[in-house]
Amino acid sequence: MAPKIRIGALVSGGGTNLQAIIDACQSNRIDGEVVFVGSDNPGAGGLARAQRQGIASFVIDYGAIIRSHAAAASVAPDDFDPDEIRHKQHLFGPETSRAKVDGFLLTRAVAEAQLLEKIANYTPDLIVLAGFMRNLTPYFIDRFNTDPAHPRIMNIHPALLPAFPGVDGYGDTFRYGCKIGGCTVHFIDYGEDSGPIIGQKCFPISEEDTLDSIKAKGLALEWQLYPACIQLFAEHRLHTIMMTYTDHGRVTQRRVVKIARPAAWQGGKH
Ligand code: GAR
C-alpha cells in the first residue's frame, strides 16, 4: 500500500469541512492524515476540532499583522520582490490603485512567510484550504508549489465556479435566482477561485429554498466532495495539462485537471 499522504489544513471558521476530512482519513476513505491545522483567526472553531483530535495547530494572526502595518509599515521578508509578486498576481485588476495592491501584497507576504515557517515543521504533501477566508498570493504559492505542473494547494468553494468567485458563493447563487447551486474543489492559482477545477457537485434550488436551506444542501455536498478529491490526489490520479485554445480570436492558455482512471482499470467493461 502507498504511504499515507500528509495533509495540512488551513481554516478560518467552524471547520465542518476539516471535520469531514479528518473523519475520512480515520475511516480510510482518504489514504492520508491531517498533520496540522493552521488558522488566520485565533477564534476559529476548526482549531478546537484539531485540538480534540490531537492534531497540531497554530495561528498566524492576519488581522494583527494588517493592523500593525496600518500603524507602521511592515518589514518585508528578505526574499519578497514586490514587482515580481504584483506582476504575477491576478487578484486585482488595473482599476485598483498601486498603493492598495502593494499594501495588500506586503502584509500578506509577512503573514505568508510566517505560515511557510510553521508549515515547514510538518512537511505536508498537500495543503487543503477548508473555509480559509484569505487569498494566498504568489509569494506563498510559488514557495509551496515548487513544480507548476504539480499543484498541491486545494480549495473548496461554495459555488459552481467559474460563477460566483469570492467570499459569499451560496449568497451570490441565491440572490442571482439560480435554479441550481453547487460547490467546487479546485487547485489554487494566482487569481481568486480561478484555478484548475478538480470536482463539482450540484443541487436543485426550488421556490421553497432559503439562503439557509441552500447553505445546508451545499455543505452536505462539500463534505462528500472534498474527501473524494483529496483521495484522487492521494492516488496520484490528478494530472494537470496546459490547454491552448482560441477564444473569439484570442489565444488563451489554461491549466486543467485530468483525472486518470484507477491503476487497476484495464479498459473495456467492468
Ligand atoms: C464552506 O462553505 C466553504 O465552501 C466556504 O466556507 C465554508 C466553510 O465552512 N469557503 C469559502 O467561502 C472560501 N472562499 P466550514 O468552516 O464549516 O468548513
Side-chain angles (χ1 to χ4, degrees):
M1 205 177 77
K4 290 185 175 221
I5 58 161
R6 297 171 62 76
I7 302 165
L10 295 178
V11 301
S12 299
T16 64
N17 277 288
L18 168 68
Q19 191 67 54
I21 294 165
I22 293 171
D23 293 350
C25 290
Q26 288 174 352
S27 60
N28 297 321
R29 282 174 293 125
I30 296 176
D31 296 323
E33 63 171 323
V34 178
V35 292
F36 73 79
V37 175
S39 184
D40 60 316
N41 168 19
L47 291 169
R49 289 181 194 271
Q51 279 148 19
R52 280 201 293 279
Q53 304 285 334
I55 298 170
S57 63
F58 60 81
V59 175
I60 304 298
D61 191 340
Y62 273 58
I65 291 168
I66 294 162
R67 284 191 297 278
S68 88
H69 175 74
S74 308
V75 178
D78 286 345
D79 58 354
F80 175 67
D81 176 345
D83 294 330
E84 178 208 349
I85 305 296
R86 190 185 328 100
H87 179 71
K88 281 183 173 169
Q89 64 81 30
H90 294 162
L91 297 168
F92 301 98
E95 71 286 356
T96 311
S97 77
R98 171 85 176 261
K100 184 172 173 193
V101 174
D102 284 355
F104 178 93
L105 295 174
L106 172 57
T107 52
R108 293 326 183 265
V110 170
E112 290 174 355
Q114 294 180 23
L115 258 184
L116 286 161
E117 198 182 322
K118 289 279 185 197
I119 287 171
N121 295 323
Y122 304 101
T123 58
D125 300 302
L126 173 70
I127 291 178
V128 295
L129 310 182
F132 186 61
M133 302 308 281
R134 302 283 181 180
N135 283 309
L136 293 170
T137 75
Y139 179 82
F140 181 96
I141 295 168
D142 287 354
R143 282 162 181 75
F144 188 73
N145 275 346
T146 42
D147 177 354
H150 294 104
R152 52 194 194 117
I153 310 172
M154 276 186 198
N155 180 41
I156 188 150
H157 183 74
L160 290 172
L161 292 172
F164 310 126
V167 294
D168 190 12
Y170 292 136
D172 291 340
T173 301
F174 178 63
R175 286 184 292 273
Y176 203 88
C178 293
K179 309 306 178 210
I180 291 177
C183 51
T184 303
V185 172
H186 63 100
F187 286 119
I188 70 157
D189 68 1
Y190 297 149
E192 182 163 29
D193 303 319
S194 56
I197 289 174
I198 301 166
Q200 294 184 301
K201 277 186 178 282
C202 63
F203 55 84
I205 299 174
S206 72
E207 295 304 316
E208 286 72 46
D209 274 309
T210 61
L211 179 54
D212 282 347
S213 71
I214 286 173
K215 281 185 179 165
K217 287 188 206 182
L219 264 178
L221 293 182
E222 292 185 31
W223 303 331
Q224 299 170 19
L225 179 65
Y226 216 171
C229 291
I230 295 170
Q231 178 60 8
L232 290 173
F233 181 93
E235 291 171 352
H236 303 287
R237 289 174 57 198
L238 299 179
H239 302 284
T240 69
I241 56 167
M242 285 303 283
M243 299 278 286
T244 306
Y245 52 92
T246 308
D247 189 9
H248 297 289
R250 218 180 52 182
V251 177
T252 309
Q253 279 211 315
R254 231 195 123 67
R255 190 172 284 284
V256 299
V257 171
K258 297 286 174 196
I259 301 174
R261 292 188 181 281
W265 192 80
Q266 299 297 325
K269 285 187 179 156
H270 286 283

